[in-house]
Amino acid sequence: GDVYKRQSQDSEGNSLHRRIYRLVMKRLILRYSTHIFGCSPKVCKWMFPTHYNKDNRIKVLHNGIDLEAFEKVENCIKSKEVARKKLSLPLSNVLIGHVGSFRPQKNHTFLVEIFSAIKKQVPNCCLVMVGDGPLKPKIEEIVKNKGLMNAVHFVGLRQDVPEILKALDLFLFPSLYEGLPLALIEAQAAGIPFVTTDTVYNDADLKMGLGKGVSLKNSIEVWVNKCIEAINSQRVPEWETRKKILIDNGYDIRHVVKELEGIYTQI
């Protein structure tokens, strides 16, 4: 199907075998489950379109993030420069970042295309890519062929994502589709301006004034302009404001755990 119409997927393709598997599993889940959770309304509707609004077992339960880790970074690392020095990243360059597995849905090829076009207007910009996956060698080859190896940092799987986010000027996330991208929630926790696909933006934006959504049908020039606008934006809410918004929207991992504990004790 048209990739722009995909609202949510499981990243496992759409073969006949996979479609049969999904159909059987959905029926078994509906028959035997006492509680059914999805990480966003879109995911719940995609899984059970005819039951979502009338089956009380179906509930949105967000994937939470560790707000204490972000608060620690906020208190201990007072500037982008300090974060960059600690991570051995360029101190004076404009840093664009991405966090995600190297798989088709993350659209890394287009990500590199956008970055290459931005670099023509902002020569001192660099790209930091966090993650691993089967498409990483292909993306590394594309970066090499474009002569961008000195400007692109592949940092692999990391345990210090809050610190990396603190070092960035922009989070770029042009995914083809997502359920609910936790990486964008973390970017907002870190107070980083972000640009993402419009359909992803509509689900993930927490109204902090940090994000911009762009259609994948738009030209690369539109993406570049939105990215440069976001880089130049100075509207970053204070940590306590961001923290409250994250908690109010159900993304505090401790609240999520308590809610799950409550559900399990009722069963």
Side-chain angles (χ1 to χ4, degrees):
D2 183 356
V3 75
Y4 303 120
K5 294 180 181 177
R6 295 180 189 173
Q7 293 299 298
S8 186
Q9 273 287 4
D10 60 8
S11 305
E12 298 295 338
N14 206 32
S15 65
L16 177 61
H17 178 269
R18 193 68 194 176
R19 292 200 302 272
I20 293 172
Y21 171 80
R22 288 190 190 113
L23 179 64
V24 171
M25 292 306 297
K26 286 180 182 180
R27 288 182 175 178
L28 289 174
I29 289 169
L30 285 170
R31 178 177 295 180
Y32 295 110
S33 294
T34 58
H35 298 73
I36 301 171
F37 301 130
C39 63
S40 72
K42 185 171 70 177
V43 168
C44 293
K45 291 174 185 176
W46 176 73
M47 280 293 292
F48 305 108
T50 60
H51 291 74
Y52 175 64
N53 289 320
K54 55 186 179 182
D55 192 325
N56 292 331
R57 295 175 300 167
I58 301 173
K59 181 179 180 181
V60 174
L61 187 67
H62 292 306
N63 294 324
I65 64 173
D66 184 1
L67 296 186
E68 287 188 1
F70 286 89
E71 188 161 33
K72 181 179 179 181
V73 169
E74 198 73 22
N75 292 333
C76 297
I77 302 177
K78 298 300 183 181
S79 70
K80 293 176 184 176
E81 289 71 27
V82 172
R84 292 176 183 186
K85 188 173 183 179
K86 185 175 181 181
L87 296 163
S88 299
L89 292 170
L91 296 182
S92 59
N93 294 55
V94 171
L95 282 193
I96 298 170
H98 180 273
V99 179
S101 176
F102 284 78
R103 295 181 180 277
Q105 75 193 62
K106 299 299 182 183
N107 209 9
H108 282 88
T109 301
F110 188 50
L111 171 70
V112 173
E113 291 287 342
I114 298 169
F115 170 70
S116 179
I118 292 172
K119 192 163 179 62
K120 292 175 182 177
Q121 297 190 41
V122 187
N124 71 329
C125 72
C126 292
L127 176 63
V128 179
M129 285 200 269
V130 180
D132 203 351
L135 292 182
K136 187 177 179 182
K138 175 186 173 183
I139 302 305
E140 288 176 329
E141 186 67 21
I142 290 172
V143 168
K144 182 179 179 180
N145 290 339
K146 287 182 173 294
L148 295 171
M149 286 300 289
N150 291 333
V152 178
H153 303 265
F154 293 89
V155 298
L157 296 173
R158 304 290 292 241
Q159 299 298 317
D160 55 354
V161 170
E163 293 183 13
I164 292 174
L165 291 172
K166 179 73 174 181
L168 301 179
D169 296 295
L170 174 71
F171 193 86
L172 181 55
F173 203 74
S175 293
L176 298 176
Y177 56 89
E178 293 282 347
L180 195 292
L182 211 58
L184 280 183
I185 303 303
E186 291 182 325
Q188 291 171 90
I192 305 304
F194 68 92
V195 176
T196 187
T197 315
D198 54 353
T199 52
V200 176
Y201 169 84
N202 292 336
D203 293 309
D205 181 53
L206 298 178
K207 313 302 182 196
M208 296 186 190
L210 292 169
K212 298 179 184 294
V214 186
S215 171
L216 288 170
K217 296 179 181 179
N218 281 136
S219 68
I220 198 164
E221 288 77 19
V222 173
W223 279 85
V224 170
N225 290 338
K226 290 294 182 183
C227 287
I228 292 175
E229 284 177 17
I231 289 168
N232 292 329
S233 172
Q234 300 297 318
R235 297 172 299 168
V236 178
E238 295 294 326
W239 164 246
E240 289 301 326
T241 300
R242 303 198 309 270
K243 180 179 178 180
K244 183 178 187 306
I245 291 172
L246 288 156
I247 291 173
D248 290 346
N249 280 276
Y251 288 105
D252 181 358
I253 188 66
R254 285 158 184 79
H255 288 199
V256 174
V257 169
K258 286 181 181 178
E259 190 167 354
L260 275 174
E261 287 176 344
I263 291 165
Y264 282 123
T265 56
Q266 295 170 12
I267 297 175

